Amino acid sequence: MHLEEKNKTITIGNESISPGQEKRVHIQIDRLPTGTLIDIPIYVFNSRKPGPTILVQAGLHGDEINGIEIVRRMLTQKYFKVTKGAIIAVPILNIFGFIHFSRDLPDGKDVNRSFPGFKFGSLASRIAYHFTKEIFPQIDLGIDLHTGGSRRFNYPQTRYTATDSKSAELATIFNAPFTFSSDLIAKSFRKTAYSKGIPTIVYEAGESMRFNEYAIEQGIQGVLNIFQHFNMLTKDTIVIPEDKKTIYLTNRKWLRAPTAGMFLPKIKNGSAITKGTILGIVTDAFSNRIKEIKAPLSGYVFCINHQAVVSQGEALFHLGESIKN
């Protein structure tokens, strides 16, 4: 008689989550000047049957709230209660940035430029250190949820590492409206995961400090697509098949303000464009100088700056050509 194979036990800090258990645990980081303890809440859903352990995290930058809302809704809807494997869900990684409405920490440091971190380093470095130490050994793959920063609105898009075929496959399964490879950034979460052989994708959607329903819905759908791919969903969780397939982009290019002035976009984010299309204008307040911004290529707009008054050289549109399959 063969005993049924069980899933592994997950250990975070001094807490163990056995197969069949769900638990909220905490990684203690630091205290506020008032003495209030700040920690990172982590939700672990460990099913009885073996399968992949997937990290779904948000709030690496504290003002990127669409990802935080994705995780919150999935917790509320009980989408993380999977039938095999395990889910580690982190609604807000950068608690300090979140409570200060900031991308970074109060000292200006970026947690996503501080991995793998140092136990006795800056606050950002310590957050990265504890997360690297406690979470990376547990997971098989990662989904990192982000939002556009500095008033830049990212149309829902998934980014993967070109030299990692498994992350490319994950991005395809996620099936966001746009997908493309992007370079690894030094000391980023994704680069550290890559160095440890953990395939990771980044989902970017919306604008910092603003909720966008489409961005949130697409993010939830993408995460569920990955759960469904690994046969982890319960019968009660319905995944609606997507009629449209992701559009792969290449030859990406930022268009920048040709002069200082007021910026008025003339096209919707996510739109297909042809070379020469007028995408927007930059004008002074008296219409003495009007500069048209024309598309230098045919493809798609997948990011628009929502800053109304811009300086010369400021990034306004992000464009990309589609890859023909």
Side-chain angles (χ1 to χ4, degrees):
M1 177 177 172
H2 296 285
L3 296 176
E4 183 180 359
E5 187 180 1
K6 289 185 177 181
N7 202 22
K8 66 182 181 182
T9 296
I10 293 173
T11 303
I12 298 176
N14 297 321
E15 299 272 4
S16 293
I17 303 91
S18 301
Q21 281 192 319
E22 302 171 9
K23 190 178 290 187
R24 173 175 166 170
V25 299
H26 301 266
I27 297 178
Q28 295 186 0
I29 300 298
D30 207 342
R31 294 182 182 273
L32 297 175
T34 58
T36 303
L37 179 67
I38 297 293
D39 54 28
I40 302 173
I42 296 171
Y43 296 81
V44 181
F45 300 83
N46 197 10
S47 66
R48 295 185 183 278
K49 295 182 179 179
T53 298
I54 301 176
L55 170 67
V56 182
Q57 72 172 22
L60 186 50
H61 294 130
D63 62 349
E64 298 184 3
I65 60 175
N66 281 305
I68 297 170
E69 176 61 8
I70 289 170
V71 178
R72 187 199 69 80
R73 286 194 198 181
M74 295 191 75
L75 285 167
T76 301
Q77 298 297 325
K78 304 186 187 306
Y79 287 155
F80 294 132
K81 293 191 175 186
V82 292
T83 58
K84 59 187 290 189
I87 305 299
I88 297 177
V90 183
I92 310 173
L93 177 51
N94 182 357
I95 296 288
F96 286 89
F98 179 74
I99 62 179
H100 286 88
F101 315 109
S102 170
R103 170 187 176 91
D104 302 323
L105 294 169
D107 62 1
K109 294 188 181 298
D110 187 336
V111 179
N112 204 29
R113 302 294 184 272
S114 302
F115 281 88
F118 178 56
K119 185 177 183 179
F120 303 106
S122 67
L123 178 56
S125 185
R126 295 200 306 276
I127 291 173
Y129 168 82
H130 287 292
F131 203 78
T132 299
K133 178 175 178 289
E134 300 291 348
I135 301 301
F136 277 119
Q138 312 297 329
I139 63 175
D140 298 303
L141 58 97
I143 305 170
D144 190 14
L145 305 172
H146 284 258
T147 304
S150 301
R151 298 189 182 273
R152 290 190 291 270
F153 185 96
N154 280 326
Y155 201 78
Q157 58 195 250
T158 307
R159 305 176 183 183
Y160 64 92
T161 306
T163 53
D164 182 0
S165 60
K166 290 184 178 179
S167 73
E169 181 183 2
L170 284 177
T172 299
I173 297 165
F174 194 99
N175 197 35
F178 294 116
T179 298
F180 54 88
S181 66
S182 65
D183 294 337
L184 293 168
I185 300 172
K187 297 186 178 181
S188 66
F189 170 84
R190 182 161 62 102
K191 184 168 185 178
T192 301
Y194 177 78
S195 70
K196 295 179 179 295
I198 301 170
T200 302
I201 57 173
V202 172
Y203 174 68
E204 288 266 3
E207 178 185 352
S208 62
M209 296 310 298
R210 295 181 189 274
F211 288 122
N212 180 271
E213 192 62 26
Y214 182 66
I216 293 165
E217 290 174 353
Q218 288 293 303
I220 292 172
Q221 183 67 52
V223 176
L224 291 178
N225 287 342
I226 288 180
F227 291 175
Q228 185 180 50
H229 175 79
F230 290 105
N231 299 314
M232 300 171 74
L233 293 178
T234 66
K235 293 181 180 179
D236 296 331
T237 303
I238 300 174
V239 176
I240 302 172
E242 289 279 350
D243 292 332
K244 294 183 179 179
K245 294 298 182 182
T246 189
I247 297 171
Y248 293 91
L249 298 178
T250 187
N251 191 28
R252 301 188 313 278
K253 181 179 181 62
W254 276 104
L255 300 187
R256 300 183 178 274
T259 185
M262 298 188 301
F263 170 51
L264 292 92
K266 298 295 184 182
I267 196 163
K268 290 183 178 180
N269 208 359
S271 296
I273 56 171
T274 56
K275 186 175 181 178
T277 300
I278 297 174
L279 305 179
I281 62 171
V282 177
T283 176
D284 64 78
F286 311 102
S287 287
N288 292 325
R289 292 178 295 105
I290 299 177
K291 295 283 188 179
E292 294 180 339
I293 303 164
K294 296 182 179 181
L297 53 80
S298 294
Y300 293 87
V301 178
F302 62 95
C303 180
I304 296 179
N305 193 336
H306 282 171
Q307 181 70 42
V309 181
V310 298
S311 300
Q312 183 175 353
E314 199 161 340
L316 302 182
F317 297 101
H318 207 177
L319 314 179
E321 295 178 324
S322 62
I323 298 175
K324 305 298 182 183
N325 293 324

